[in-house]
Amino acid sequence: MPVNEAETLGSLIRDAASSSKSVVVEATVQTRDDGSVPMAILSADEAVRVINAHAPRIIYLVEQVFDLDGEIEVARDELDDLGVEHSADSLKAAQRKFAAYDGQIGATIASFMIDGVLHSAVATATWHDEFGDTVEAILEDVREGARAGQFSKSSEKAKAIERQALLLVKHPSFNHGRVSFDKRMALAETLFRDCDPHTLSEITRRAENLFWLEQSGVKLDGIDHD
């Protein structure tokens, strides 16, 4: 069986932490959005060398266990969203192929601070990367087919939403009294009973945008001005 780089990194970090009397904490370090905290990405060997040399007080270590069923379920959910049967043969084949790795450590992340600089080392098992590539290839094939088949449908749906939004804006109750998005969506539901909740939300949101444009002085086709 090939070397599991993720397990190797975790073991090396724990041994180094023990020798340097560092504290190992199971946590993921988040960097600030503005990038004000300097960050250094190290290889596994370099991370161990730095720990041995500087003995950081705290080491943040996460060893992610590979949950095959959970990963496959996420992929199935995406296939369902795309209108594809979740029992796709290709996904079943991927599940069988990687079954032996279920429960193993697939990725390890180690982080620690030295002199105000965040140091991190990341390793993933080769099979873990291969699994991700395999599933993504399956999903991308389905997405391509869905995009090709739904292009014309999406265009017609957009036109229908625009027409319905114009009708909603013109309704006397659209801006009557103390209005809110929920009240306007309820009005849309009474006008367009065949629409699902997601489409009703799109219609209402588009109607509110049209109303704002009209109030801003933009003349819109389909809206009468008294």
Side-chain angles (χ1 to χ4, degrees):
M1 182 175 292
V3 175
N4 186 324
E5 293 86 348
E7 288 185 345
T8 299
L9 173 60
S11 178
L12 289 171
I13 292 295
R14 291 182 188 281
D15 290 345
S18 176
S19 299
S20 64
K21 302 188 185 309
S22 300
V23 178
V24 177
V25 178
E26 185 175 349
T28 300
V29 176
Q30 301 292 328
T31 57
R32 294 176 58 180
D33 292 338
D34 60 8
S36 60
V37 178
M39 184 175 182
I41 305 297
L42 308 179
S43 66
D45 291 341
E46 280 296 288
V48 172
R49 186 176 67 80
V50 171
I51 289 171
N52 285 328
H54 297 281
R57 293 180 59 192
I58 299 177
I59 298 173
Y60 302 94
L61 182 65
V62 174
E63 295 171 301
Q64 298 175 344
V65 175
F66 180 56
D67 177 10
L68 178 59
D69 289 343
E71 296 285 350
I72 292 294
E73 189 60 34
V74 170
R76 284 174 176 167
D77 287 343
E78 182 161 350
L79 290 180
D80 286 342
D81 291 341
L82 293 169
V84 178
E85 288 294 329
H86 63 259
S87 57
D89 291 340
S90 53
L91 205 55
K92 283 186 174 182
Q95 189 169 16
R96 289 192 298 269
K97 179 178 179 180
F98 293 92
Y101 302 107
D102 188 33
Q104 294 189 28
I105 295 173
T108 295
I109 306 170
S111 302
F112 49 91
M113 294 289 293
I114 296 177
D115 296 333
V117 177
L118 175 63
H119 299 71
S120 290
V122 179
T124 56
T126 302
W127 54 262
H128 188 272
D129 295 336
E130 184 183 349
F131 171 80
D133 292 342
T134 299
V135 171
E136 181 56 29
I138 294 171
L139 294 175
E140 186 55 30
D141 283 345
V142 175
R143 293 189 199 108
E144 293 257 347
R147 282 194 290 267
Q150 293 179 357
F151 178 76
S152 59
K153 292 181 181 179
S154 63
S155 178
E156 288 301 316
K157 181 179 179 181
K159 291 177 182 178
I161 288 175
E162 188 75 7
R163 290 193 299 269
Q164 291 164 316
L166 285 168
L167 289 173
L168 184 59
V169 170
K170 292 166 64 176
H171 195 282
S173 297
F174 183 78
N175 202 42
H176 178 70
R178 298 185 63 182
V179 296
S180 66
F181 182 85
D182 288 341
K183 288 181 180 178
R184 286 169 168 168
M185 186 165 169
L187 175 61
E189 189 173 2
T190 64
L191 295 175
F192 315 114
R193 296 185 180 276
D194 293 335
C195 293
D196 60 83
H198 178 71
T199 303
L200 288 171
S201 177
E202 288 188 76
I203 293 169
T204 306
R205 198 172 309 282
R206 180 56 182 159
E208 289 194 331
N209 289 338
L210 290 173
F211 179 74
W212 177 82
L213 287 171
E214 184 192 21
Q215 295 299 303
S216 300
V218 178
K219 190 178 186 310
L220 302 174
D221 294 335
I223 298 183
D224 296 328
H225 295 268
D226 296 329

